[in-house]
Amino acid sequence: MTTLADRLRAAGCVFAEEESVLLSAAADGDQLERLVRRRIAGEPLEQLLGWAEFAGLRIEVAQGVFVPRRRTELLVDLALEHAGSGTVIVELCCGVGAVAAALLERLPGAVVHAADVDPAATVVAARNLRGRGRVWQGDLYAALPDDLRGAVGVIVANAPYVPTGEIGLMPPEARDHEARIALDGGPDGLDVQRRIAAAAGRWLTPRGVVVLETSRRQAPASVRLLAEAGFRASAVTDDERAATAVVAVRESRGAPAGPRDRG
């Protein structure tokens, strides 16, 4: 007899056994069958379940929004290295606020703000932060209140960094079911990162830090654009999570640091 896992495996679901358990726990009968058919048709598992696991938390997601990836957990780790109780942290391009929620969980004394241009995502982000942080809707820094200028200790962002011409090469789960604005980084994938870097100095404290997700291939360019904006920048890789990020310290002294590895 064909099992649910068999059907999912035949549709190309790599983790068919795990997905079958999660879907069966979420629904039964006709509702389960509807979910299975939607999954087989290519909808992201997380959007069907209504949540994604991230940094040990169950983060709410919704149809059409960007689903947080495990690799983005590296941003949480790096931001925590530069934050303490009372640090003002801003997550730009926050999506559903996964990074902000994880930071609040691990550093309850932090003052956390999250912003995104997508109103559908910020509605979900507000639910994930549960009133412990502020969520703003708007285009990068334009979304933030003016009283944060010069007061931010850490800016963290998983800005869209897929080159426009490579969107079509992404898995259907992403390109067909997540907001394109959360994926498309412009011709070289770095348009939004440039904008973040260019204006970061006006919002950060004198020793403030920027933490950006990027790809291993794009890391040298990401480091360079932050260095050109007046930061000491270095790339960090985490092989276990297939993650790459850039950490940039607002500091005028010394040459930009070289890349380092984790894992």
Side-chain angles (χ1 to χ4, degrees):
M1 183 175 66
T2 302
T3 66
L4 173 53
D6 291 333
R7 293 173 63 192
L8 293 169
R9 191 177 299 107
C13 299
V14 177
F15 302 104
E17 294 287 348
E18 293 88 340
E19 291 195 15
S20 67
V21 172
L22 290 168
L23 288 168
S24 296
D28 55 20
D30 291 342
Q31 185 181 5
L32 173 59
E33 179 60 25
R34 287 193 292 271
L35 289 178
V36 171
R37 289 181 179 180
R38 290 168 62 187
R39 179 67 183 122
I40 289 172
E43 290 191 46
L45 174 69
E46 296 84 357
Q47 291 182 6
L48 295 175
L49 297 175
W51 59 271
E53 184 178 345
F54 181 85
L57 302 176
R58 184 173 285 199
I59 298 294
E60 182 180 341
V61 298
Q63 283 187 273
V65 302
F66 183 81
V67 176
R69 274 66 157 167
R70 181 168 179 261
R71 61 175 174 265
T72 304
E73 293 173 358
L74 177 59
L75 298 186
V76 177
D77 295 343
L78 294 172
L80 287 171
E81 291 180 6
H82 298 276
S85 181
T87 299
V88 177
I89 303 173
V90 169
E91 183 189 6
L92 296 176
C93 306
C94 72
V96 297
V99 171
L103 289 170
L104 282 164
E105 187 71 17
R106 297 192 190 181
L107 193 62
V111 179
V112 177
H113 297 259
D116 199 285
V117 72
D118 181 1
T122 56
V123 167
V124 182
R127 294 200 290 266
N128 281 320
L129 268 57
R130 305 197 306 272
R132 298 174 299 163
R134 296 294 303 274
V135 179
W136 309 92
Q137 191 268 315
D139 184 17
L140 297 181
Y141 302 104
L144 302 176
D146 282 343
D147 60 7
L148 290 182
R149 290 179 183 268
V152 180
V154 179
I155 293 171
V156 58
N158 177 17
Y161 57 88
V162 180
T164 303
E166 297 179 17
I167 297 290
L169 304 178
M170 297 185 72
E173 290 181 348
R175 70 170 188 258
D176 295 339
H177 297 282
E178 295 180 327
R180 187 181 178 101
I181 198 169
L183 305 172
D184 192 341
D188 66 353
L190 302 177
D191 280 2
V192 183
Q193 289 189 13
R194 286 191 187 89
R195 294 177 58 210
I196 291 173
R202 295 195 287 273
W203 295 87
L204 289 170
T205 62
R207 299 283 290 182
V209 173
V210 177
V211 182
L212 297 179
E213 182 170 316
T214 190
S215 69
R216 188 183 291 264
R217 172 172 60 90
Q218 293 164 303
S222 297
V223 167
R224 186 165 55 250
L225 67 87
L226 281 157
E228 291 171 351
F231 293 85
R232 293 183 65 242
S234 61
V236 181
T237 61
D238 183 332
D239 293 332
E240 182 181 352
R241 289 181 284 203
T244 303
V246 173
V247 179
V249 180
R250 188 185 182 192
E251 184 175 72
S252 59
R253 299 190 305 274
R260 58 191 177 97
D261 290 330
R262 292 186 173 201

